[in-house]
Amino acid sequence: MKTREQLEATGNKILNSVRTELYLSMRFMGPALGSLGFAMDLSTRTVGTDAVYIRFNPTYLLQTYIERPEILNRTYMHMLMHCLFRHMFSAKQHEDAQLWDLCCDIAVESILDHWYLKCIHRPQTRLRKDIYRQLEKQLKVFTAEGIYRQFAGWKLEETKILEIKREFYVD
């Protein structure tokens, strides 16, 4: 049991470190940054949230923190933005749940991409820029609902949807 407790403690320390770094760069997000607890969850391969906890696989968390810690900053903010916009609570209102998830990811990532903060910066690929450009033609504000309507009307092939999912998937 000691190993399990050590893994959980290490995961909590890593996530607290990430939260602190984000707080130092985004004081305006202070209350939101502290709103999620942490819970080790061996049933997940990476990290995710249920809007109460950030659930983490300790192996993934430790490996990512050692190799590319900046990814965790972006991931933390990505999950937090889903919670702030309550994306997980409106999923049942949409016919295509997978398309809804993708549209939520695009909405969240577009916000993070336009904040231009070093702690969450990720270079934009051509695909990402193209998707944003196409959406900007129809939407003034990128909401998950608006993006969902656009994508439903575009009738994209499954291979294109998979390509876009790989680009925007985070948690």
Side-chain angles (χ1 to χ4, degrees), residues 9-72:
T10 300
N12 287 338
K13 284 180 185 177
I14 290 169
L15 289 170
N16 272 315
S17 175
V18 168
R19 180 170 37 199
T20 299
E21 184 175 349
L22 291 169
Y23 178 74
L24 291 173
S25 297
M26 295 183 261
R27 293 187 192 279
F28 64 94
M29 292 293 291
L33 285 166
S35 65
L36 296 172
F38 309 135
M40 185 170 76
D41 185 348
L42 299 176
S43 69
T44 184
R45 287 186 12 234
T46 58
V47 294
T49 186
D50 59 8
V52 177
Y53 295 101
I54 291 178
R55 300 190 171 279
F56 64 90
N57 180 300
T59 304
Y60 168 82
L61 206 57
L62 185 57
Q63 182 177 354
T64 305
Y65 190 69
I66 290 168
E67 294 174 4
R68 298 194 55 209
E70 70 280 0
I71 289 174
L72 294 178

Short mmCIF file of all heavy atoms in Angstrom, two decimals, residues 9-72:
data_model
loop_
_atom_site.label_atom_id
_atom_site.label_comp_id
_atom_site.label_asym_id
_atom_site.label_seq_id
_atom_site.Cartn_x
_atom_site.Cartn_y
_atom_site.Cartn_z
N ALA A 9 0.72 10.64 -3.82
CA ALA A 9 1.36 11.84 -3.29
C ALA A 9 2.21 12.53 -4.36
O ALA A 9 2.19 13.76 -4.49
CB ALA A 9 2.22 11.49 -2.08
N THR A 10 2.92 11.74 -5.16
CA THR A 10 3.73 12.31 -6.23
C THR A 10 2.85 12.98 -7.27
O THR A 10 3.13 14.09 -7.72
CB THR A 10 4.60 11.21 -6.89
OG1 THR A 10 5.45 10.65 -5.90
CG2 THR A 10 5.44 11.78 -8.03
N GLY A 11 1.76 12.32 -7.65
CA GLY A 11 0.81 12.92 -8.60
C GLY A 11 0.23 14.22 -8.08
O GLY A 11 0.13 15.21 -8.81
N ASN A 12 -0.14 14.23 -6.80
CA ASN A 12 -0.69 15.46 -6.20
C ASN A 12 0.35 16.58 -6.20
O ASN A 12 0.01 17.74 -6.47
CB ASN A 12 -1.17 15.18 -4.77
CG ASN A 12 -2.44 14.38 -4.74
OD1 ASN A 12 -3.20 14.34 -5.70
ND2 ASN A 12 -2.69 13.71 -3.62
N LYS A 13 1.62 16.25 -5.92
CA LYS A 13 2.68 17.26 -5.93
C LYS A 13 2.86 17.83 -7.34
O LYS A 13 3.04 19.04 -7.51
CB LYS A 13 3.99 16.67 -5.43
CG LYS A 13 4.06 16.48 -3.94
CD LYS A 13 5.40 15.90 -3.53
CE LYS A 13 5.40 15.59 -2.04
NZ LYS A 13 6.67 14.96 -1.61
N ILE A 14 2.84 16.97 -8.32
CA ILE A 14 3.00 17.43 -9.71
C ILE A 14 1.86 18.36 -10.09
O ILE A 14 2.08 19.45 -10.63
CB ILE A 14 3.09 16.23 -10.68
CG1 ILE A 14 4.42 15.49 -10.48
CG2 ILE A 14 2.92 16.68 -12.14
CD1 ILE A 14 4.50 14.15 -11.20
N LEU A 15 0.63 17.95 -9.81
CA LEU A 15 -0.51 18.78 -10.18
C LEU A 15 -0.55 20.08 -9.39
O LEU A 15 -0.93 21.13 -9.93
CB LEU A 15 -1.81 17.99 -10.02
CG LEU A 15 -2.00 16.90 -11.08
CD1 LEU A 15 -3.18 16.00 -10.73
CD2 LEU A 15 -2.17 17.50 -12.47
N ASN A 16 -0.12 20.05 -8.14
CA ASN A 16 -0.02 21.30 -7.36
C ASN A 16 1.03 22.23 -7.97
O ASN A 16 0.85 23.45 -8.01
CB ASN A 16 0.31 21.01 -5.90
CG ASN A 16 -0.94 20.78 -5.08
OD1 ASN A 16 -1.91 21.52 -5.20
ND2 ASN A 16 -0.92 19.75 -4.26
N SER A 17 2.13 21.66 -8.43
CA SER A 17 3.18 22.45 -9.08
C SER A 17 2.66 23.09 -10.36
O SER A 17 2.92 24.27 -10.63
CB SER A 17 4.39 21.56 -9.37
OG SER A 17 5.36 22.25 -10.09
N VAL A 18 1.93 22.32 -11.15
CA VAL A 18 1.33 22.83 -12.39
C VAL A 18 0.36 23.97 -12.06
O VAL A 18 0.40 25.03 -12.67
CB VAL A 18 0.63 21.70 -13.17
CG1 VAL A 18 -0.24 22.25 -14.29
CG2 VAL A 18 1.65 20.71 -13.71
N ARG A 19 -0.48 23.74 -11.07
CA ARG A 19 -1.47 24.75 -10.69
C ARG A 19 -0.78 26.03 -10.23
O ARG A 19 -1.19 27.13 -10.59
CB ARG A 19 -2.38 24.20 -9.59
CG ARG A 19 -3.43 25.20 -9.15
CD ARG A 19 -4.50 24.67 -8.26
NE ARG A 19 -4.11 23.69 -7.29
CZ ARG A 19 -4.96 22.88 -6.68
NH1 ARG A 19 -6.24 22.92 -6.99
NH2 ARG A 19 -4.55 22.02 -5.79
N THR A 20 0.29 25.90 -9.48
CA THR A 20 1.03 27.07 -9.01
C THR A 20 1.64 27.85 -10.17
O THR A 20 1.55 29.08 -10.22
CB THR A 20 2.14 26.64 -8.01
OG1 THR A 20 1.51 26.01 -6.89
CG2 THR A 20 2.95 27.84 -7.54
N GLU A 21 2.24 27.13 -11.11
CA GLU A 21 2.83 27.81 -12.27
C GLU A 21 1.75 28.55 -13.07
O GLU A 21 1.96 29.68 -13.51
CB GLU A 21 3.55 26.81 -13.17
CG GLU A 21 4.26 27.49 -14.33
CD GLU A 21 5.09 26.55 -15.17
OE1 GLU A 21 5.31 25.39 -14.77
OE2 GLU A 21 5.53 26.99 -16.25
N LEU A 22 0.61 27.94 -13.24
CA LEU A 22 -0.48 28.59 -13.96
C LEU A 22 -0.99 29.80 -13.19
O LEU A 22 -1.26 30.86 -13.78
CB LEU A 22 -1.62 27.60 -14.20
CG LEU A 22 -1.32 26.48 -15.19
CD1 LEU A 22 -2.41 25.42 -15.15
CD2 LEU A 22 -1.15 27.03 -16.60
N TYR A 23 -1.10 29.67 -11.90
CA TYR A 23 -1.57 30.78 -11.08
C TYR A 23 -0.64 31.98 -11.19
O TYR A 23 -1.09 33.12 -11.27
CB TYR A 23 -1.72 30.35 -9.62
CG TYR A 23 -2.16 31.49 -8.73
CD1 TYR A 23 -3.47 31.96 -8.78
CD2 TYR A 23 -1.26 32.11 -7.88
CE1 TYR A 23 -3.87 33.01 -7.99
CE2 TYR A 23 -1.65 33.17 -7.09
CZ TYR A 23 -2.96 33.63 -7.14
OH TYR A 23 -3.34 34.68 -6.36
N LEU A 24 0.66 31.74 -11.21
CA LEU A 24 1.63 32.83 -11.30
C LEU A 24 1.51 33.59 -12.63
O LEU A 24 1.78 34.79 -12.69
CB LEU A 24 3.05 32.31 -11.13
CG LEU A 24 3.39 31.81 -9.72
CD1 LEU A 24 4.76 31.15 -9.70
CD2 LEU A 24 3.31 32.94 -8.71
N SER A 25 1.08 32.91 -13.67
CA SER A 25 0.92 33.55 -14.98
C SER A 25 -0.50 34.05 -15.22
O SER A 25 -0.72 34.90 -16.09
CB SER A 25 1.27 32.56 -16.10
OG SER A 25 2.61 32.19 -16.02
N MET A 26 -1.47 33.50 -14.48
CA MET A 26 -2.87 33.84 -14.72
C MET A 26 -3.61 34.05 -13.40
O MET A 26 -4.51 33.29 -13.06
CB MET A 26 -3.55 32.71 -15.50
CG MET A 26 -3.02 32.49 -16.87
SD MET A 26 -3.95 31.21 -17.73
CE MET A 26 -2.84 29.83 -17.49
N ARG A 27 -3.23 35.08 -12.70
CA ARG A 27 -3.88 35.33 -11.40
C ARG A 27 -5.39 35.49 -11.53
O ARG A 27 -6.13 35.16 -10.62
CB ARG A 27 -3.26 36.54 -10.73
CG ARG A 27 -1.83 36.30 -10.31
CD ARG A 27 -1.30 37.47 -9.49
NE ARG A 27 0.13 37.40 -9.30
CZ ARG A 27 0.74 36.65 -8.40
NH1 ARG A 27 0.04 35.90 -7.60
NH2 ARG A 27 2.05 36.65 -8.30
N PHE A 28 -5.85 35.98 -12.66
CA PHE A 28 -7.28 36.16 -12.89
C PHE A 28 -8.04 34.84 -12.86
O PHE A 28 -9.26 34.82 -12.71
CB PHE A 28 -7.52 36.88 -14.23
CG PHE A 28 -7.08 36.12 -15.44
CD1 PHE A 28 -7.97 35.31 -16.14
CD2 PHE A 28 -5.76 36.21 -15.89
CE1 PHE A 28 -7.55 34.61 -17.27
CE2 PHE A 28 -5.35 35.51 -17.03
CZ PHE A 28 -6.24 34.72 -17.72
N MET A 29 -7.33 33.73 -13.01
CA MET A 29 -7.96 32.41 -12.99
C MET A 29 -7.85 31.75 -11.62
O MET A 29 -8.21 30.58 -11.47
CB MET A 29 -7.30 31.50 -14.04
CG MET A 29 -7.55 31.90 -15.48
SD MET A 29 -9.27 31.72 -16.00
CE MET A 29 -9.44 29.95 -16.01
N GLY A 30 -7.37 32.48 -10.62
CA GLY A 30 -7.11 31.92 -9.30
C GLY A 30 -8.21 31.04 -8.73
O GLY A 30 -7.99 29.88 -8.41
N PRO A 31 -9.43 31.58 -8.56
CA PRO A 31 -10.50 30.74 -7.99
C PRO A 31 -10.79 29.49 -8.81
O PRO A 31 -11.00 28.41 -8.27
CB PRO A 31 -11.70 31.68 -7.96
CG PRO A 31 -11.11 33.06 -7.91
CD PRO A 31 -9.85 32.97 -8.73
N ALA A 32 -10.77 29.63 -10.12
CA ALA A 32 -11.05 28.47 -10.99
C ALA A 32 -9.93 27.44 -10.88
O ALA A 32 -10.20 26.23 -10.83
CB ALA A 32 -11.22 28.92 -12.43
N LEU A 33 -8.68 27.90 -10.86
CA LEU A 33 -7.55 26.98 -10.79
C LEU A 33 -7.61 26.10 -9.54
O LEU A 33 -7.17 24.96 -9.56
CB LEU A 33 -6.22 27.74 -10.83
CG LEU A 33 -5.83 28.28 -12.20
CD1 LEU A 33 -4.70 29.29 -12.07
CD2 LEU A 33 -5.45 27.16 -13.14
N GLY A 34 -8.14 26.64 -8.46
CA GLY A 34 -8.22 25.88 -7.22
C GLY A 34 -9.51 25.10 -7.04
O GLY A 34 -9.73 24.50 -6.00
N SER A 35 -10.35 25.08 -8.07
CA SER A 35 -11.68 24.47 -7.91
C SER A 35 -11.71 22.95 -8.06
O SER A 35 -12.67 22.32 -7.63
CB SER A 35 -12.66 25.11 -8.90
OG SER A 35 -12.29 24.79 -10.22
N LEU A 36 -10.70 22.37 -8.67
CA LEU A 36 -10.70 20.92 -8.89
C LEU A 36 -9.75 20.22 -7.92
O LEU A 36 -8.63 20.68 -7.74
CB LEU A 36 -10.28 20.59 -10.34
CG LEU A 36 -11.20 21.09 -11.44
CD1 LEU A 36 -10.57 20.86 -12.81
CD2 LEU A 36 -12.56 20.42 -11.36
N GLY A 37 -10.21 19.13 -7.36
CA GLY A 37 -9.34 18.30 -6.54
C GLY A 37 -8.57 17.34 -7.44
O GLY A 37 -8.75 17.33 -8.66
N PHE A 38 -7.73 16.54 -6.83
CA PHE A 38 -6.94 15.56 -7.57
C PHE A 38 -7.24 14.17 -7.05
O PHE A 38 -7.38 13.97 -5.85
CB PHE A 38 -5.44 15.83 -7.42
CG PHE A 38 -5.03 17.25 -7.70
CD1 PHE A 38 -4.16 17.91 -6.87
CD2 PHE A 38 -5.51 17.93 -8.82
CE1 PHE A 38 -3.76 19.22 -7.12
CE2 PHE A 38 -5.13 19.23 -9.09
CZ PHE A 38 -4.24 19.87 -8.24
N ALA A 39 -7.32 13.22 -7.97
CA ALA A 39 -7.59 11.84 -7.58
C ALA A 39 -6.83 10.89 -8.51
O ALA A 39 -6.96 10.99 -9.74
CB ALA A 39 -9.08 11.53 -7.63
N MET A 40 -6.05 10.01 -7.93
CA MET A 40 -5.38 9.00 -8.73
C MET A 40 -6.43 8.04 -9.26
O MET A 40 -7.34 7.63 -8.54
CB MET A 40 -4.34 8.25 -7.88
CG MET A 40 -3.52 7.26 -8.69
SD MET A 40 -2.12 6.57 -7.79
CE MET A 40 -2.96 5.41 -6.73
N ASP A 41 -6.31 7.69 -10.53
CA ASP A 41 -7.29 6.81 -11.17
C ASP A 41 -6.54 5.89 -12.13
O ASP A 41 -6.17 6.31 -13.22
CB ASP A 41 -8.33 7.64 -11.90
CG ASP A 41 -9.45 6.81 -12.50
OD1 ASP A 41 -9.31 5.56 -12.57
OD2 ASP A 41 -10.45 7.40 -12.92
N LEU A 42 -6.33 4.67 -11.73
CA LEU A 42 -5.57 3.73 -12.55
C LEU A 42 -6.37 3.21 -13.74
O LEU A 42 -5.82 2.54 -14.60
CB LEU A 42 -5.07 2.57 -11.69
CG LEU A 42 -4.13 2.97 -10.56
CD1 LEU A 42 -3.76 1.76 -9.71
CD2 LEU A 42 -2.90 3.66 -11.08
N SER A 43 -7.65 3.56 -13.82
CA SER A 43 -8.46 3.13 -14.96
C SER A 43 -8.29 4.07 -16.16
O SER A 43 -8.79 3.77 -17.23
CB SER A 43 -9.93 3.03 -14.57
OG SER A 43 -10.48 4.32 -14.35
N THR A 44 -7.61 5.17 -15.98
CA THR A 44 -7.35 6.08 -17.09
C THR A 44 -5.90 5.94 -17.53
O THR A 44 -5.03 5.66 -16.71
CB THR A 44 -7.68 7.55 -16.73
OG1 THR A 44 -7.50 8.36 -17.88
CG2 THR A 44 -6.80 8.07 -15.62
N ARG A 45 -5.66 6.16 -18.81
CA ARG A 45 -4.28 6.07 -19.32
C ARG A 45 -3.53 7.38 -19.12
O ARG A 45 -2.31 7.40 -19.03
CB ARG A 45 -4.28 5.72 -20.81
CG ARG A 45 -4.65 4.29 -21.08
CD ARG A 45 -4.51 3.92 -22.56
NE ARG A 45 -3.80 4.90 -23.36
CZ ARG A 45 -4.27 5.45 -24.48
NH1 ARG A 45 -5.44 5.11 -24.93
NH2 ARG A 45 -3.58 6.33 -25.14
N THR A 46 -4.25 8.50 -19.11
CA THR A 46 -3.60 9.81 -19.04
C THR A 46 -4.19 10.62 -17.89
O THR A 46 -3.98 10.28 -16.73
CB THR A 46 -3.76 10.55 -20.39
OG1 THR A 46 -5.15 10.70 -20.70
CG2 THR A 46 -3.07 9.81 -21.52
N VAL A 47 -4.89 11.69 -18.22
CA VAL A 47 -5.60 12.51 -17.23
C VAL A 47 -6.96 12.89 -17.81
O VAL A 47 -7.16 12.87 -19.02
CB VAL A 47 -4.82 13.79 -16.86
CG1 VAL A 47 -3.54 13.50 -16.13
CG2 VAL A 47 -4.58 14.66 -18.08
N GLY A 48 -7.86 13.24 -16.94
CA GLY A 48 -9.18 13.70 -17.35
C GLY A 48 -9.88 14.31 -16.16
O GLY A 48 -9.34 14.31 -15.05
N THR A 49 -11.05 14.83 -16.39
CA THR A 49 -11.79 15.42 -15.29
C THR A 49 -13.25 15.00 -15.34
O THR A 49 -13.80 14.75 -16.41
CB THR A 49 -11.69 16.95 -15.27
OG1 THR A 49 -12.32 17.46 -14.09
CG2 THR A 49 -12.30 17.58 -16.49
N ASP A 50 -13.84 14.94 -14.16
CA ASP A 50 -15.28 14.70 -14.04
C ASP A 50 -15.98 15.95 -13.50
O ASP A 50 -17.09 15.89 -13.02
CB ASP A 50 -15.55 13.49 -13.14
CG ASP A 50 -14.97 13.65 -11.74
OD1 ASP A 50 -14.49 14.75 -11.39
OD2 ASP A 50 -14.99 12.66 -10.98
N ALA A 51 -15.28 17.09 -13.57
CA ALA A 51 -15.74 18.39 -13.10
C ALA A 51 -15.65 18.54 -11.58
O ALA A 51 -15.99 19.58 -11.04
CB ALA A 51 -17.16 18.72 -13.58
N VAL A 52 -15.17 17.52 -10.91
CA VAL A 52 -14.92 17.59 -9.46
C VAL A 52 -13.43 17.36 -9.20
O VAL A 52 -12.81 18.08 -8.42
CB VAL A 52 -15.77 16.55 -8.69
CG1 VAL A 52 -15.45 16.59 -7.20
CG2 VAL A 52 -17.26 16.79 -8.92
N TYR A 53 -12.89 16.37 -9.87
CA TYR A 53 -11.48 16.00 -9.71
C TYR A 53 -10.76 15.97 -11.05
O TYR A 53 -11.37 15.68 -12.08
CB TYR A 53 -11.34 14.59 -9.11
CG TYR A 53 -11.86 14.47 -7.71
CD1 TYR A 53 -13.12 13.91 -7.48
CD2 TYR A 53 -11.11 14.89 -6.63
CE1 TYR A 53 -13.60 13.78 -6.19
CE2 TYR A 53 -11.59 14.78 -5.34
CZ TYR A 53 -12.84 14.22 -5.13
OH TYR A 53 -13.32 14.11 -3.85
N ILE A 54 -9.47 16.24 -11.01
CA ILE A 54 -8.60 15.87 -12.12
C ILE A 54 -8.16 14.47 -11.79
O ILE A 54 -7.49 14.23 -10.78
CB ILE A 54 -7.40 16.82 -12.26
CG1 ILE A 54 -7.88 18.19 -12.71
CG2 ILE A 54 -6.38 16.24 -13.24
CD1 ILE A 54 -6.78 19.23 -12.84
N ARG A 55 -8.57 13.53 -12.59
CA ARG A 55 -8.24 12.12 -12.37
C ARG A 55 -7.00 11.81 -13.19
O ARG A 55 -6.94 12.11 -14.37
CB ARG A 55 -9.41 11.24 -12.76
CG ARG A 55 -10.64 11.56 -11.93
CD ARG A 55 -11.74 10.55 -12.10
NE ARG A 55 -12.78 10.78 -11.13
CZ ARG A 55 -12.76 10.38 -9.87
NH1 ARG A 55 -11.72 9.70 -9.43
NH2 ARG A 55 -13.75 10.64 -9.04
N PHE A 56 -6.01 11.21 -12.56
CA PHE A 56 -4.73 11.02 -13.23
C PHE A 56 -4.19 9.62 -13.07
O PHE A 56 -4.39 8.97 -12.06
CB PHE A 56 -3.69 12.02 -12.71
CG PHE A 56 -3.35 11.85 -11.25
CD1 PHE A 56 -2.32 11.01 -10.84
CD2 PHE A 56 -4.05 12.54 -10.27
CE1 PHE A 56 -1.99 10.85 -9.49
CE2 PHE A 56 -3.74 12.40 -8.92
CZ PHE A 56 -2.70 11.55 -8.53
N ASN A 57 -3.49 9.19 -14.12
CA ASN A 57 -2.70 7.98 -14.05
C ASN A 57 -1.31 8.44 -13.61
O ASN A 57 -0.69 9.26 -14.30
CB ASN A 57 -2.63 7.30 -15.41
CG ASN A 57 -1.81 6.03 -15.36
OD1 ASN A 57 -0.63 6.07 -15.03
ND2 ASN A 57 -2.43 4.92 -15.70
N PRO A 58 -0.79 7.97 -12.50
CA PRO A 58 0.48 8.48 -11.99
C PRO A 58 1.67 8.23 -12.92
O PRO A 58 2.58 9.05 -12.99
CB PRO A 58 0.66 7.76 -10.65
CG PRO A 58 -0.23 6.58 -10.71
CD PRO A 58 -1.36 6.94 -11.63
N THR A 59 1.66 7.12 -13.64
CA THR A 59 2.75 6.83 -14.56
C THR A 59 2.79 7.87 -15.67
O THR A 59 3.85 8.42 -15.98
CB THR A 59 2.60 5.41 -15.15
OG1 THR A 59 2.53 4.48 -14.08
CG2 THR A 59 3.74 5.07 -16.07
N TYR A 60 1.64 8.15 -16.26
CA TYR A 60 1.57 9.16 -17.31
C TYR A 60 2.00 10.52 -16.77
O TYR A 60 2.79 11.24 -17.40
CB TYR A 60 0.15 9.25 -17.87
CG TYR A 60 -0.05 10.47 -18.73
CD1 TYR A 60 0.35 10.47 -20.07
CD2 TYR A 60 -0.62 11.63 -18.21
CE1 TYR A 60 0.20 11.61 -20.85
CE2 TYR A 60 -0.77 12.76 -18.99
CZ TYR A 60 -0.36 12.75 -20.30
OH TYR A 60 -0.51 13.87 -21.08
N LEU A 61 1.49 10.88 -15.62
CA LEU A 61 1.77 12.19 -15.04
C LEU A 61 3.27 12.36 -14.78
O LEU A 61 3.86 13.37 -15.17
CB LEU A 61 0.98 12.34 -13.74
CG LEU A 61 0.64 13.74 -13.29
CD1 LEU A 61 -0.15 14.49 -14.34
CD2 LEU A 61 -0.16 13.67 -11.99
N LEU A 62 3.89 11.38 -14.17
CA LEU A 62 5.31 11.46 -13.85
C LEU A 62 6.16 11.50 -15.13
O LEU A 62 7.06 12.33 -15.25
CB LEU A 62 5.73 10.28 -12.96
CG LEU A 62 7.16 10.29 -12.45
CD1 LEU A 62 7.45 11.56 -11.66
CD2 LEU A 62 7.41 9.07 -11.57
N GLN A 63 5.86 10.64 -16.07
CA GLN A 63 6.62 10.60 -17.31
C GLN A 63 6.50 11.92 -18.08
O GLN A 63 7.49 12.46 -18.57
CB GLN A 63 6.15 9.44 -18.19
CG GLN A 63 6.92 9.30 -19.48
CD GLN A 63 6.47 8.09 -20.28
OE1 GLN A 63 5.65 7.29 -19.83
NE2 GLN A 63 6.99 7.94 -21.47
N THR A 64 5.29 12.46 -18.17
CA THR A 64 5.08 13.72 -18.88
C THR A 64 5.77 14.87 -18.16
O THR A 64 6.37 15.74 -18.79
CB THR A 64 3.58 14.00 -19.05
OG1 THR A 64 2.97 12.88 -19.69
CG2 THR A 64 3.34 15.24 -19.88
N TYR A 65 5.70 14.86 -16.84
CA TYR A 65 6.32 15.93 -16.05
C TYR A 65 7.84 15.94 -16.22
O TYR A 65 8.46 17.00 -16.28
CB TYR A 65 5.94 15.77 -14.57
CG TYR A 65 6.33 16.94 -13.71
CD1 TYR A 65 5.69 18.17 -13.84
CD2 TYR A 65 7.34 16.82 -12.76
CE1 TYR A 65 6.03 19.24 -13.04
CE2 TYR A 65 7.69 17.89 -11.95
CZ TYR A 65 7.04 19.09 -12.10
OH TYR A 65 7.38 20.16 -11.31
N ILE A 66 8.42 14.78 -16.36
CA ILE A 66 9.87 14.68 -16.55
C ILE A 66 10.25 15.07 -17.97
O ILE A 66 11.20 15.82 -18.18
CB ILE A 66 10.37 13.25 -16.23
CG1 ILE A 66 10.26 12.98 -14.72
CG2 ILE A 66 11.79 13.03 -16.71
CD1 ILE A 66 10.45 11.53 -14.34
N GLU A 67 9.51 14.57 -18.96
CA GLU A 67 9.90 14.75 -20.35
C GLU A 67 9.43 16.07 -20.96
O GLU A 67 10.18 16.70 -21.71
CB GLU A 67 9.36 13.59 -21.20
CG GLU A 67 10.00 12.26 -20.86
CD GLU A 67 9.37 11.09 -21.58
OE1 GLU A 67 8.46 11.29 -22.42
OE2 GLU A 67 9.79 9.95 -21.31
N ARG A 68 8.19 16.47 -20.71
CA ARG A 68 7.63 17.68 -21.31
C ARG A 68 6.62 18.32 -20.37
O ARG A 68 5.41 18.27 -20.61
CB ARG A 68 6.97 17.35 -22.65
CG ARG A 68 7.99 16.79 -23.65
CD ARG A 68 7.54 16.73 -25.06
NE ARG A 68 7.08 18.01 -25.56
CZ ARG A 68 6.15 18.12 -26.52
NH1 ARG A 68 5.61 17.06 -27.05
NH2 ARG A 68 5.78 19.30 -26.93
N PRO A 69 7.09 18.94 -19.30
CA PRO A 69 6.17 19.46 -18.28
C PRO A 69 5.21 20.54 -18.80
O PRO A 69 4.11 20.69 -18.26
CB PRO A 69 7.11 20.03 -17.21
CG PRO A 69 8.41 20.24 -17.89
CD PRO A 69 8.49 19.21 -18.97
N GLU A 70 5.60 21.26 -19.86
CA GLU A 70 4.73 22.31 -20.39
C GLU A 70 3.40 21.75 -20.91
O GLU A 70 2.39 22.45 -20.92
CB GLU A 70 5.44 23.11 -21.48
CG GLU A 70 5.68 22.38 -22.79
CD GLU A 70 6.87 21.43 -22.82
OE1 GLU A 70 7.58 21.29 -21.80
OE2 GLU A 70 7.09 20.80 -23.87
N ILE A 71 3.40 20.49 -21.30
CA ILE A 71 2.16 19.86 -21.78
C ILE A 71 1.13 19.80 -20.65
O ILE A 71 -0.07 19.96 -20.87
CB ILE A 71 2.44 18.45 -22.33
CG1 ILE A 71 3.19 18.55 -23.65
CG2 ILE A 71 1.16 17.65 -22.51
CD1 ILE A 71 3.64 17.22 -24.22
N LEU A 72 1.59 19.58 -19.44
CA LEU A 72 0.67 19.48 -18.31
C LEU A 72 -0.01 20.82 -18.03
O LEU A 72 -1.18 20.84 -17.63
CB LEU A 72 1.39 18.96 -17.07
CG LEU A 72 1.88 17.52 -17.18
CD1 LEU A 72 2.63 17.11 -15.92
CD2 LEU A 72 0.75 16.55 -17.48
#
